[in-house]
Amino acid sequence: MYFLVIEDNPDLLANLYDFLEARGHTIDSALEGRQGFALGIQNDYDAIVLDLMLPGLDGLEVARRLRDSGRSAPILMLTARDTLEDKLEGFASGADDYLVKPFALRELEARLAALVRRRRGEHVHRPLRVGELVYDPTARRVQRAGQSITLPPIPLKLLALLMRESPKVVSRRAMERELWGDSPPDSDALRAHVHVLRNAIDKPFRYPLLTTVHGVGYRLAAADAFST
């Protein structure tokens, strides 16, 4: 999984890096709040580990700004404060879980994994809609303007990701990670699957929903959502 760790204690940050990377995860990090917020809106993380007491912006403000910016990655807040009021304030700012220092690294990883499973599970059964395009994950049925569309498994997985994130741009890195984890195949593989997806959901219809954002990734959105 792909995590962002925002923590101003370099020793703790180093421990988190060593532990999580050894467990196969990819880590980005920031030592202060403004840098952490910038990374949080630039990249698509599976979850964010956020210290409460930070220079620049504190953790509460970082969480609020991330939520106000539309970022939905689960946030696990770290703090030495353990009162109910502190926890309630953290949840109110947008945190999804709360872990009091000192903590066991294995517990942190378990909590992160639970947050990621919960977030993914929320999308499993809910029908997804973008304009006239509808995907029912339970029945694995795709329709556009009432017309049924058949997709192979990988383009279907890409469609679900793009619809969940619509109308935001999804980076190529995020799409590759969704399909292949941290071991993507050659660079043409993603392009080939996007081509299959585009031919199925756009080519037979009057206007496209899927567009390429050159140098960044792809965006799926209703016609009136496009501004570029």
Side-chain angles (χ1 to χ4, degrees):
M1 289 180 282
Y2 186 29
F3 299 134
L4 170 63
V5 180
I6 310 173
E7 167 61 59
D8 68 335
N9 182 323
D11 293 332
L12 176 56
L13 182 59
N15 287 339
L16 289 170
Y17 253 108
D18 290 345
F19 178 79
L20 292 171
E21 287 190 328
R23 310 280 281 191
H25 305 296
T26 301
I27 313 298
D28 287 345
S29 67
L31 287 165
E32 55 91 25
R34 294 187 187 279
Q35 181 190 13
F37 170 70
L39 288 171
I41 61 173
Q42 289 170 8
N43 301 306
D44 299 303
Y45 296 103
D46 291 305
I48 297 171
V49 179
L50 177 61
D51 187 26
L52 180 59
M53 302 298 294
L54 291 167
L57 294 176
D58 66 24
L60 295 175
E61 186 62 24
V62 172
R64 289 191 190 100
R65 293 191 183 191
L66 287 172
R67 294 302 184 232
D68 288 345
S69 299
R71 286 305 187 187
S72 60
I75 296 174
L76 174 60
M77 191 165 282
L78 303 179
T79 181
R81 301 175 180 176
D82 60 357
T83 69
L84 176 59
E85 289 73 19
D86 291 326
K87 293 178 181 179
L88 292 176
E89 190 176 12
F91 290 132
S93 72
D96 298 275
D97 199 0
Y98 206 100
L99 191 57
V100 177
K101 299 176 181 179
F103 54 85
L105 293 173
R106 290 176 60 191
E107 180 182 1
L108 178 134
E109 184 191 29
R111 285 175 179 260
L112 288 172
L115 288 173
V116 173
R117 286 196 304 270
R118 186 185 311 159
R119 183 195 185 198
R120 291 174 178 172
E122 289 173 353
H123 301 296
V124 169
H125 302 295
R126 175 169 56 86
L128 301 169
R129 297 177 182 272
V130 175
E132 60 187 12
L133 182 67
V134 181
Y135 172 43
D136 181 349
T138 302
R140 300 178 68 82
R141 182 171 59 241
V142 180
Q143 292 183 319
R144 179 170 176 182
Q147 180 177 326
S148 294
I149 296 171
T150 301
L151 285 169
I154 289 182
L156 187 62
K157 194 171 183 179
L158 282 178
L159 176 65
L161 172 63
L162 288 162
M163 293 185 79
R164 288 198 305 266
E165 297 298 324
S166 177
K168 296 186 294 185
V169 177
V170 181
S171 68
R172 290 181 55 88
R173 182 179 181 184
M175 295 170 74
E176 290 173 343
R177 192 171 61 251
E178 177 79 3
L179 297 178
W180 301 294
D182 295 324
S183 301
D186 65 82
S187 59
D188 289 331
L190 178 63
R191 186 180 301 113
H193 291 300
V194 170
H195 179 75
V196 171
L197 176 61
R198 177 174 276 131
N199 280 347
I201 67 170
D202 278 345
K203 191 172 182 179
F205 300 94
R206 292 181 297 111
Y207 57 87
L209 297 175
L210 178 61
T211 59
T212 302
V213 180
H214 294 288
V216 182
Y218 300 89
R219 175 172 60 178
L220 185 73
D224 57 4
F226 289 101
S227 58
T228 60

